[in-house]
Amino acid sequence: MHAKAVYLLVIPGFADWEPAHAVAELRRQGGYRLEVVGLTRDPVTSMGGVTVLPTRILSEVDPGDVAVFILPGGDRWEAAPPEPELVALLEKLQADHVPIAAICGATVALARAGLIRGRRHTSNGKAYLEQHAPGYGDADQYEDAPAVRDRGLITASGLADVEFAAKLFDELGVMSESDRALWARLFRSGRLPPESA
């Protein structure tokens, strides 16, 4: 078991499937414990109707305990700016070189907070970030790829939950490089390799 934990932010309507592969394998293969972070202690219901009880709130997050901080997508990112407390925490994590991972709409929250500045990143499209993140000025760093990892920042399209997970495994050194590639191929193709059949 690792000394640090994987921290997963849960907000009302979060896209529950987007971090699922990542957190499952980070626990199973990586030996990380999981901390579920809420804006409050109230139960949080996901987009799929799954109710989750946070283990911590933002003010209780100790940056020294965070192996990676994961922000799943959800419709609310497009409609509202991230809470100042969340931005302050993410800025502290980034300053302490703690990896941050955002998928789908959560990339908008990072762009609005200026946390992707100067780093290669992706999202649901460059035009998507331009539309939903006023002041987004990092189009020259945008990559049209399912998932991108650059100096502790992991971003992904909402269609790339498998690739998102693989980038997290790479960031934290979970599984060997060949096992990560095999895992991603299996989960993306839905087919076992011929030697397993």
Side-chain angles (χ1 to χ4, degrees), residues 94-120:
Q94 192 172 67
D96 290 351
H97 306 288
V98 175
I100 297 170
I103 184 170
C104 193
T107 60
V108 169
L110 294 188
R112 284 181 172 177
L115 295 168
I116 60 173
R117 218 165 267 135
R119 294 185 189 197
R120 292 179 299 107

PDB file of all heavy atoms in Angstrom, residues 94-120:
ATOM      1  N   GLN A  94      -0.445  22.041  -7.876  1.00  0.00           N
ATOM      2  CA  GLN A  94       0.435  22.275  -9.020  1.00  0.00           C
ATOM      3  C   GLN A  94       1.778  22.856  -8.558  1.00  0.00           C
ATOM      4  O   GLN A  94       2.835  22.429  -9.034  1.00  0.00           O
ATOM      5  CB  GLN A  94      -0.249  23.202 -10.024  1.00  0.00           C
ATOM      6  CG  GLN A  94       0.465  23.266 -11.356  1.00  0.00           C
ATOM      7  CD  GLN A  94      -0.333  24.036 -12.381  1.00  0.00           C
ATOM      8  OE1 GLN A  94      -0.513  25.244 -12.238  1.00  0.00           O
ATOM      9  NE2 GLN A  94      -0.805  23.354 -13.401  1.00  0.00           N
ATOM     10  N   ALA A  95       1.742  23.793  -7.626  1.00  0.00           N
ATOM     11  CA  ALA A  95       2.981  24.386  -7.106  1.00  0.00           C
ATOM     12  C   ALA A  95       3.854  23.343  -6.413  1.00  0.00           C
ATOM     13  O   ALA A  95       5.085  23.437  -6.445  1.00  0.00           O
ATOM     14  CB  ALA A  95       2.653  25.520  -6.139  1.00  0.00           C
ATOM     15  N   ASP A  96       3.209  22.348  -5.803  1.00  0.00           N
ATOM     16  CA  ASP A  96       3.933  21.269  -5.113  1.00  0.00           C
ATOM     17  C   ASP A  96       4.269  20.106  -6.040  1.00  0.00           C
ATOM     18  O   ASP A  96       4.719  19.048  -5.579  1.00  0.00           O
ATOM     19  CB  ASP A  96       3.096  20.751  -3.934  1.00  0.00           C
ATOM     20  CG  ASP A  96       3.006  21.754  -2.792  1.00  0.00           C
ATOM     21  OD1 ASP A  96       3.717  22.779  -2.828  1.00  0.00           O
ATOM     22  OD2 ASP A  96       2.212  21.504  -1.862  1.00  0.00           O
ATOM     23  N   HIS A  97       4.029  20.274  -7.336  1.00  0.00           N
ATOM     24  CA  HIS A  97       4.320  19.241  -8.350  1.00  0.00           C
ATOM     25  C   HIS A  97       3.539  17.951  -8.130  1.00  0.00           C
ATOM     26  O   HIS A  97       4.046  16.846  -8.361  1.00  0.00           O
ATOM     27  CB  HIS A  97       5.824  18.959  -8.425  1.00  0.00           C
ATOM     28  CG  HIS A  97       6.641  20.197  -8.650  1.00  0.00           C
ATOM     29  ND1 HIS A  97       6.675  20.856  -9.850  1.00  0.00           N
ATOM     30  CD2 HIS A  97       7.420  20.922  -7.797  1.00  0.00           C
ATOM     31  CE1 HIS A  97       7.442  21.928  -9.763  1.00  0.00           C
ATOM     32  NE2 HIS A  97       7.900  21.994  -8.517  1.00  0.00           N
ATOM     33  N   VAL A  98       2.307  18.093  -7.661  1.00  0.00           N
ATOM     34  CA  VAL A  98       1.408  16.948  -7.504  1.00  0.00           C
ATOM     35  C   VAL A  98       0.602  16.821  -8.799  1.00  0.00           C
ATOM     36  O   VAL A  98       0.013  17.792  -9.252  1.00  0.00           O
ATOM     37  CB  VAL A  98       0.452  17.145  -6.308  1.00  0.00           C
ATOM     38  CG1 VAL A  98      -0.554  16.003  -6.225  1.00  0.00           C
ATOM     39  CG2 VAL A  98       1.249  17.269  -5.011  1.00  0.00           C
ATOM     40  N   PRO A  99       0.568  15.641  -9.411  1.00  0.00           N
ATOM     41  CA  PRO A  99      -0.172  15.482 -10.666  1.00  0.00           C
ATOM     42  C   PRO A  99      -1.659  15.787 -10.514  1.00  0.00           C
ATOM     43  O   PRO A  99      -2.274  15.472  -9.495  1.00  0.00           O
ATOM     44  CB  PRO A  99       0.036  14.009 -11.021  1.00  0.00           C
ATOM     45  CG  PRO A  99       1.250  13.597 -10.285  1.00  0.00           C
ATOM     46  CD  PRO A  99       1.258  14.413  -9.021  1.00  0.00           C
ATOM     47  N   ILE A 100      -2.199  16.420 -11.559  1.00  0.00           N
ATOM     48  CA  ILE A 100      -3.625  16.730 -11.656  1.00  0.00           C
ATOM     49  C   ILE A 100      -4.129  16.128 -12.951  1.00  0.00           C
ATOM     50  O   ILE A 100      -3.488  16.267 -13.996  1.00  0.00           O
ATOM     51  CB  ILE A 100      -3.859  18.250 -11.640  1.00  0.00           C
ATOM     52  CG1 ILE A 100      -3.382  18.858 -10.308  1.00  0.00           C
ATOM     53  CG2 ILE A 100      -5.328  18.585 -11.894  1.00  0.00           C
ATOM     54  CD1 ILE A 100      -3.350  20.380 -10.304  1.00  0.00           C
ATOM     55  N   ALA A 101      -5.280  15.459 -12.882  1.00  0.00           N
ATOM     56  CA  ALA A 101      -5.844  14.802 -14.062  1.00  0.00           C
ATOM     57  C   ALA A 101      -7.290  15.230 -14.245  1.00  0.00           C
ATOM     58  O   ALA A 101      -8.083  15.151 -13.313  1.00  0.00           O
ATOM     59  CB  ALA A 101      -5.759  13.280 -13.904  1.00  0.00           C
ATOM     60  N   ALA A 102      -7.618  15.698 -15.452  1.00  0.00           N
ATOM     61  CA  ALA A 102      -8.976  16.160 -15.747  1.00  0.00           C
ATOM     62  C   ALA A 102      -9.440  15.561 -17.065  1.00  0.00           C
ATOM     63  O   ALA A 102      -8.677  15.508 -18.033  1.00  0.00           O
ATOM     64  CB  ALA A 102      -9.021  17.680 -15.818  1.00  0.00           C
ATOM     65  N   ILE A 103     -10.682  15.143 -17.093  1.00  0.00           N
ATOM     66  CA  ILE A 103     -11.250  14.535 -18.288  1.00  0.00           C
ATOM     67  C   ILE A 103     -12.541  15.264 -18.656  1.00  0.00           C
ATOM     68  O   ILE A 103     -13.268  15.739 -17.785  1.00  0.00           O
ATOM     69  CB  ILE A 103     -11.485  13.010 -18.082  1.00  0.00           C
ATOM     70  CG1 ILE A 103     -11.998  12.339 -19.354  1.00  0.00           C
ATOM     71  CG2 ILE A 103     -12.376  12.742 -16.892  1.00  0.00           C
ATOM     72  CD1 ILE A 103     -12.008  10.806 -19.287  1.00  0.00           C
ATOM     73  N   CYS A 104     -12.787  15.353 -19.953  1.00  0.00           N
ATOM     74  CA  CYS A 104     -14.038  15.896 -20.492  1.00  0.00           C
ATOM     75  C   CYS A 104     -14.251  17.324 -19.999  1.00  0.00           C
ATOM     76  O   CYS A 104     -13.378  18.168 -20.100  1.00  0.00           O
ATOM     77  CB  CYS A 104     -15.185  14.956 -20.146  1.00  0.00           C
ATOM     78  SG  CYS A 104     -16.727  15.290 -21.037  1.00  0.00           S
ATOM     79  N   GLY A 105     -15.418  17.632 -19.460  1.00  0.00           N
ATOM     80  CA  GLY A 105     -15.754  18.975 -19.026  1.00  0.00           C
ATOM     81  C   GLY A 105     -14.851  19.523 -17.936  1.00  0.00           C
ATOM     82  O   GLY A 105     -14.735  20.743 -17.777  1.00  0.00           O
ATOM     83  N   ALA A 106     -14.189  18.661 -17.181  1.00  0.00           N
ATOM     84  CA  ALA A 106     -13.290  19.139 -16.129  1.00  0.00           C
ATOM     85  C   ALA A 106     -12.089  19.874 -16.707  1.00  0.00           C
ATOM     86  O   ALA A 106     -11.471  20.685 -16.016  1.00  0.00           O
ATOM     87  CB  ALA A 106     -12.834  17.993 -15.242  1.00  0.00           C
ATOM     88  N   THR A 107     -11.775  19.622 -17.981  1.00  0.00           N
ATOM     89  CA  THR A 107     -10.696  20.385 -18.615  1.00  0.00           C
ATOM     90  C   THR A 107     -11.078  21.861 -18.713  1.00  0.00           C
ATOM     91  O   THR A 107     -10.211  22.727 -18.695  1.00  0.00           O
ATOM     92  CB  THR A 107     -10.359  19.824 -20.011  1.00  0.00           C
ATOM     93  OG1 THR A 107     -11.524  19.891 -20.851  1.00  0.00           O
ATOM     94  CG2 THR A 107      -9.865  18.385 -19.931  1.00  0.00           C
ATOM     95  N   VAL A 108     -12.371  22.146 -18.808  1.00  0.00           N
ATOM     96  CA  VAL A 108     -12.849  23.528 -18.829  1.00  0.00           C
ATOM     97  C   VAL A 108     -12.524  24.198 -17.492  1.00  0.00           C
ATOM     98  O   VAL A 108     -12.072  25.352 -17.453  1.00  0.00           O
ATOM     99  CB  VAL A 108     -14.366  23.594 -19.116  1.00  0.00           C
ATOM    100  CG1 VAL A 108     -14.915  24.988 -18.881  1.00  0.00           C
ATOM    101  CG2 VAL A 108     -14.663  23.125 -20.533  1.00  0.00           C
ATOM    102  N   ALA A 109     -12.733  23.483 -16.395  1.00  0.00           N
ATOM    103  CA  ALA A 109     -12.423  24.041 -15.075  1.00  0.00           C
ATOM    104  C   ALA A 109     -10.943  24.396 -14.980  1.00  0.00           C
ATOM    105  O   ALA A 109     -10.586  25.467 -14.475  1.00  0.00           O
ATOM    106  CB  ALA A 109     -12.810  23.049 -13.980  1.00  0.00           C
ATOM    107  N   LEU A 110     -10.075  23.526 -15.483  1.00  0.00           N
ATOM    108  CA  LEU A 110      -8.640  23.814 -15.440  1.00  0.00           C
ATOM    109  C   LEU A 110      -8.287  25.004 -16.320  1.00  0.00           C
ATOM    110  O   LEU A 110      -7.473  25.850 -15.942  1.00  0.00           O
ATOM    111  CB  LEU A 110      -7.829  22.591 -15.869  1.00  0.00           C
ATOM    112  CG  LEU A 110      -7.886  21.362 -14.967  1.00  0.00           C
ATOM    113  CD1 LEU A 110      -6.880  20.330 -15.433  1.00  0.00           C
ATOM    114  CD2 LEU A 110      -7.648  21.713 -13.513  1.00  0.00           C
ATOM    115  N   ALA A 111      -8.900  25.078 -17.501  1.00  0.00           N
ATOM    116  CA  ALA A 111      -8.635  26.201 -18.404  1.00  0.00           C
ATOM    117  C   ALA A 111      -9.118  27.510 -17.788  1.00  0.00           C
ATOM    118  O   ALA A 111      -8.417  28.527 -17.842  1.00  0.00           O
ATOM    119  CB  ALA A 111      -9.300  25.960 -19.757  1.00  0.00           C
ATOM    120  N   ARG A 112     -10.309  27.496 -17.189  1.00  0.00           N
ATOM    121  CA  ARG A 112     -10.839  28.716 -16.555  1.00  0.00           C
ATOM    122  C   ARG A 112      -9.953  29.172 -15.406  1.00  0.00           C
ATOM    123  O   ARG A 112      -9.829  30.365 -15.141  1.00  0.00           O
ATOM    124  CB  ARG A 112     -12.254  28.467 -16.031  1.00  0.00           C
ATOM    125  CG  ARG A 112     -13.299  28.437 -17.117  1.00  0.00           C
ATOM    126  CD  ARG A 112     -14.668  28.208 -16.533  1.00  0.00           C
ATOM    127  NE  ARG A 112     -15.705  28.362 -17.551  1.00  0.00           N
ATOM    128  CZ  ARG A 112     -16.983  28.156 -17.328  1.00  0.00           C
ATOM    129  NH1 ARG A 112     -17.402  27.778 -16.125  1.00  0.00           N
ATOM    130  NH2 ARG A 112     -17.869  28.318 -18.298  1.00  0.00           N
ATOM    131  N   ALA A 113      -9.328  28.217 -14.724  1.00  0.00           N
ATOM    132  CA  ALA A 113      -8.463  28.543 -13.584  1.00  0.00           C
ATOM    133  C   ALA A 113      -7.035  28.869 -14.018  1.00  0.00           C
ATOM    134  O   ALA A 113      -6.199  29.202 -13.172  1.00  0.00           O
ATOM    135  CB  ALA A 113      -8.460  27.383 -12.589  1.00  0.00           C
ATOM    136  N   GLY A 114      -6.749  28.758 -15.318  1.00  0.00           N
ATOM    137  CA  GLY A 114      -5.406  29.044 -15.814  1.00  0.00           C
ATOM    138  C   GLY A 114      -4.384  27.975 -15.492  1.00  0.00           C
ATOM    139  O   GLY A 114      -3.180  28.215 -15.533  1.00  0.00           O
ATOM    140  N   LEU A 115      -4.850  26.759 -15.192  1.00  0.00           N
ATOM    141  CA  LEU A 115      -3.940  25.699 -14.747  1.00  0.00           C
ATOM    142  C   LEU A 115      -3.360  24.856 -15.881  1.00  0.00           C
ATOM    143  O   LEU A 115      -2.542  23.964 -15.619  1.00  0.00           O
ATOM    144  CB  LEU A 115      -4.660  24.800 -13.732  1.00  0.00           C
ATOM    145  CG  LEU A 115      -5.017  25.523 -12.432  1.00  0.00           C
ATOM    146  CD1 LEU A 115      -5.975  24.695 -11.600  1.00  0.00           C
ATOM    147  CD2 LEU A 115      -3.761  25.850 -11.645  1.00  0.00           C
ATOM    148  N   ILE A 116      -3.766  25.139 -17.114  1.00  0.00           N
ATOM    149  CA  ILE A 116      -3.156  24.416 -18.231  1.00  0.00           C
ATOM    150  C   ILE A 116      -2.120  25.271 -18.952  1.00  0.00           C
ATOM    151  O   ILE A 116      -1.460  24.809 -19.875  1.00  0.00           O
ATOM    152  CB  ILE A 116      -4.218  23.911 -19.247  1.00  0.00           C
ATOM    153  CG1 ILE A 116      -5.014  25.076 -19.829  1.00  0.00           C
ATOM    154  CG2 ILE A 116      -5.135  22.889 -18.609  1.00  0.00           C
ATOM    155  CD1 ILE A 116      -5.945  24.659 -20.952  1.00  0.00           C
ATOM    156  N   ARG A 117      -1.981  26.496 -18.517  1.00  0.00           N
ATOM    157  CA  ARG A 117      -1.095  27.461 -19.171  1.00  0.00           C
ATOM    158  C   ARG A 117       0.299  26.877 -19.384  1.00  0.00           C
ATOM    159  O   ARG A 117       0.925  26.385 -18.464  1.00  0.00           O
ATOM    160  CB  ARG A 117      -1.003  28.721 -18.323  1.00  0.00           C
ATOM    161  CG  ARG A 117      -0.953  29.975 -19.163  1.00  0.00           C
ATOM    162  CD  ARG A 117      -1.225  31.226 -18.370  1.00  0.00           C
ATOM    163  NE  ARG A 117      -2.652  31.536 -18.435  1.00  0.00           N
ATOM    164  CZ  ARG A 117      -3.392  31.881 -17.406  1.00  0.00           C
ATOM    165  NH1 ARG A 117      -2.867  31.959 -16.216  1.00  0.00           N
ATOM    166  NH2 ARG A 117      -4.656  32.154 -17.564  1.00  0.00           N
ATOM    167  N   GLY A 118       0.738  26.921 -20.653  1.00  0.00           N
ATOM    168  CA  GLY A 118       2.093  26.497 -20.978  1.00  0.00           C
ATOM    169  C   GLY A 118       2.308  25.004 -21.041  1.00  0.00           C
ATOM    170  O   GLY A 118       3.442  24.554 -21.183  1.00  0.00           O
ATOM    171  N   ARG A 119       1.240  24.233 -20.965  1.00  0.00           N
ATOM    172  CA  ARG A 119       1.391  22.771 -21.016  1.00  0.00           C
ATOM    173  C   ARG A 119       0.548  22.193 -22.147  1.00  0.00           C
ATOM    174  O   ARG A 119      -0.542  22.680 -22.435  1.00  0.00           O
ATOM    175  CB  ARG A 119       0.938  22.136 -19.700  1.00  0.00           C
ATOM    176  CG  ARG A 119       1.833  22.520 -18.554  1.00  0.00           C
ATOM    177  CD  ARG A 119       1.440  21.793 -17.303  1.00  0.00           C
ATOM    178  NE  ARG A 119       2.188  22.343 -16.186  1.00  0.00           N
ATOM    179  CZ  ARG A 119       2.327  21.735 -15.032  1.00  0.00           C
ATOM    180  NH1 ARG A 119       1.761  20.575 -14.825  1.00  0.00           N
ATOM    181  NH2 ARG A 119       3.009  22.287 -14.071  1.00  0.00           N
ATOM    182  N   ARG A 120       1.076  21.146 -22.746  1.00  0.00           N
ATOM    183  CA  ARG A 120       0.307  20.455 -23.772  1.00  0.00           C
ATOM    184  C   ARG A 120      -0.921  19.851 -23.104  1.00  0.00           C
ATOM    185  O   ARG A 120      -0.855  19.358 -21.976  1.00  0.00           O
ATOM    186  CB  ARG A 120       1.148  19.355 -24.423  1.00  0.00           C
ATOM    187  CG  ARG A 120       2.303  19.895 -25.247  1.00  0.00           C
ATOM    188  CD  ARG A 120       3.160  18.810 -25.882  1.00  0.00           C
ATOM    189  NE  ARG A 120       3.777  17.951 -24.871  1.00  0.00           N
ATOM    190  CZ  ARG A 120       3.400  16.692 -24.608  1.00  0.00           C
ATOM    191  NH1 ARG A 120       2.428  16.121 -25.269  1.00  0.00           N
ATOM    192  NH2 ARG A 120       4.012  16.001 -23.675  1.00  0.00           N
TER     193      ARG A 120
END
